């Protein structure tokens, strides 16, 4: 999932370019027999290449200057999931009724929470809550965080943009994600987010 930023045009371009580049490179480079380090390297290379493409494109067109995008992705190998992200798009795990956030936002308000300056509830209405501290394509290089987890039978992973997490709480997301049809669950989450205001792109 890539959620663009930098004006409507720039955000659309950055997110589409990144999604296409990352999906293509992972599809071409991931092999079943790879070990953990090789998988992480393939993920890093894909995101770094997307970063390079978006950054160079932004320098070529003044209308796109400063554009960038978040990214959150999951690579599954047997029962192991490798999660990588930059920005405030998130990954969640639903496992036997427990709903857990797997990623930590790279954002200004998350930094304030870590430093004890504001509470998580105060962050919801903070004037700078949409300011992220990492993104693909804004700088020549990007840093990504990794998480590895072992999956159990029936586990579900949710990847989403902040258009969902800013409008739906964890209880709502958890309940919907337990629906039998994943396609229906995804559509229902979007409908709930829109019913709550839907002020941002919801993926």
């Amino acid at each position: 999932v890539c959620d663009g930023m930098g004006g409507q045009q720039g955000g659309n371009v950055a997110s589409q370019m990144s999604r296409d580049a990352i999906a293509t490179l992972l599809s071409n480079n991931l092999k079943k027999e790879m070990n953990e380090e090789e998988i992480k390297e393939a993920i890093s290379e894909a995101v770094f290449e997307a970063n390079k493409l978006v950054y160079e494109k932004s320098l070529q067109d003044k209308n796109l200057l400063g554009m960038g995008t978040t990214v959150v992705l999951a690579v599954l190998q047997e029962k192991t999931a490798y999660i990588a992200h930059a920005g405030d798009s998130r990954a969640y795990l639903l496992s036997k009724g427990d709903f857990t956030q797997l990623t930590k936002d790279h954002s200004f308000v998350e930094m304030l929470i870590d430093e004890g300056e504001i509470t998580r509830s105060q962050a919801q209405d903070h004037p700078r809550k949409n300011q992220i501290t990492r993104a693909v394509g804004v700088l020549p290089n990007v840093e990504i965080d990794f998480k590895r987890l072992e999956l159990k039978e029936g586990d579900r992973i949710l990847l989403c943009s902040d258009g969902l997490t800013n409008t739906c709480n964890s209880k709502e997301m958890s309940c919907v994600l337990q629906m039998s049809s994943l396609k229906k669950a995804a559509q229902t989450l979007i409908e709930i987010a829109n019913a709550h205001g839907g002020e941002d792109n919801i993926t």
Side-chain angles (χ1 to χ4, degrees):
V1 169
C2 294
D3 185 18
M5 45 180 256
Q8 183 158 7
Q9 182 187 1
N12 288 345
V13 172
S15 57
Q16 188 67 53
M17 283 182 69
S18 296
R19 194 211 70 88
D20 290 348
I22 292 168
T24 299
L25 286 164
L26 288 180
S27 178
N28 291 340
N29 296 335
L30 285 174
K31 310 294 180 204
K32 277 188 175 181
E33 64 276 6
M34 281 182 165
N35 61 33
E36 179 176 348
E37 286 309 309
E38 290 170 331
I39 291 172
K40 283 185 174 181
E41 188 173 335
I43 292 170
S44 295
E45 285 179 2
V47 176
F48 294 162
E49 180 62 22
N51 188 80
K52 178 184 172 188
L53 291 171
V54 173
Y55 181 70
E56 289 178 350
K57 180 76 172 174
S58 74
L59 298 181
Q60 294 163 7
D61 186 341
K62 65 176 194 246
N63 295 319
L64 303 176
L65 193 62
M67 70 173 176
T69 180
T70 68
V71 63
V72 60
L73 65 91
V75 170
L76 305 183
Q77 182 194 54
E78 302 294 336
K79 293 181 179 179
T80 304
Y82 299 91
I83 311 291
H85 86 292
D88 61 1
S89 291
R90 295 177 181 174
Y92 290 87
L93 172 68
L94 177 69
S95 182
K96 301 194 182 305
D98 292 328
F99 190 64
T100 309
Q101 183 176 329
L102 299 173
T103 53
K104 184 174 181 177
D105 293 352
H106 302 130
S107 67
F108 180 74
V109 294
E110 193 71 33
M111 191 170 63
L112 292 181
I113 292 168
D114 287 347
E115 292 171 354
E117 293 191 26
I118 62 171
T119 64
R120 194 155 294 281
S121 60
Q122 288 173 325
Q124 290 295 321
D125 301 313
H126 196 279
R128 295 174 69 182
K129 76 171 189 174
N130 293 323
Q131 184 178 334
I132 59 177
T133 55
R134 288 191 211 172
V136 172
V138 176
L139 297 171
N141 299 297
V142 64
E143 184 182 354
I144 52 177
D145 285 353
F146 282 99
K147 192 172 195 76
R148 176 185 185 275
L149 66 150
E150 297 301 320
L151 300 175
K152 304 181 187 69
E153 188 71 29
D155 284 358
R156 286 183 168 178
I157 293 174
L158 170 67
L159 306 179
C160 60
S161 67
D162 67 339
L164 179 68
T165 55
N166 285 337
T167 49
C168 290
N169 61 44
S170 294
K171 189 173 182 180
E172 289 172 317
M173 290 191 285
S174 175
C175 287
V176 172
L177 206 58
Q178 295 181 59
M179 298 172 75
S180 57
S181 165
L182 284 176
K183 188 173 182 180
K184 179 65 175 171
Q187 187 57 43
T188 301
L189 286 171
I190 291 171
E191 289 169 1
I192 292 172
N194 278 325
H196 289 338
E199 297 167 1
D200 198 359
N201 293 329
I202 307 152
T203 301

